[in-house]
Every structure is written in C-alpha cells, then in structure tokens.
Amino acid sequence: MVAIARDGKLIHYKAYGQLDPTRGRSMRLDAILALASMTRPMIAVAGLILMEQGRLPLPGQAYRLLPRIRKYEGGSATA
C-alpha cells in the first residue's frame, strides 16, 4: 500500500501485492494492516521533517512539547 501526499493533497494512493498469497487475494485499499514496530521510524521521519521546517526545536526537551511525559523522566514508562 502506497500513499503519497504533496502540499497536503493526496497525489498517489494504490494497493500493491497480495493480501493473502495462499488464496491469491490481491491487496485492497481498505485492508487493515498491522504496522507493528514500523511506527517508530514513521515518527522519527515526521520529527525530522518538522525540525527541517523549524516547527520542532531540536535539541530540546521532549516534555516541553509533550508535558505528559515529564512524569516518566528518569523512570520507567509503565501504564
């Protein structure tokens, strides 16, 4: 599945590959996929884009942008 946006507008959105290769089912645009640990690199790229735009001051302390994480400073982040 590929989605490409430019200037806030979706310019390409297409499903590629197989949803279920054993049954020969093609990927659908409305398929729900498990991203697993892919969220970390996505957030990292988003952060770098914001930094390049001057909208995310780095280096800095994350709790200034996300005050809720301050309580986890120096400890474990358990729910």
Side-chain angles (χ1 to χ4, degrees):
M1 186 119 22
V2 176
I4 300 172
R6 291 239 191 257
D7 300 321
K9 294 182 181 173
L10 194 61
I11 62 169
H12 181 80
Y13 184 45
K14 189 171 179 181
Y16 296 92
Q18 298 288 312
L19 180 63
D20 185 348
T22 59
R23 295 184 180 152
R25 293 175 54 202
S26 296
M27 182 65 68
R28 299 183 333 254
L29 287 174
D30 64 347
I32 298 174
L33 306 171
L35 293 178
S37 58
M38 285 303 300
T39 54
R40 289 183 200 116
M42 289 178 188
I43 296 300
V45 169
L48 292 172
I49 290 170
L50 290 173
M51 185 183 77
E52 285 180 339
Q53 294 173 349
R55 296 168 57 192
L56 179 63
L58 291 179
Q61 294 173 323
Y63 69 82
R64 289 183 182 170
L65 298 170
L66 304 166
R68 293 178 61 191
I69 68 169
R70 180 174 267 224
K71 67 180 177 179
Y72 302 119
E73 189 175 336
S76 63
T78 56

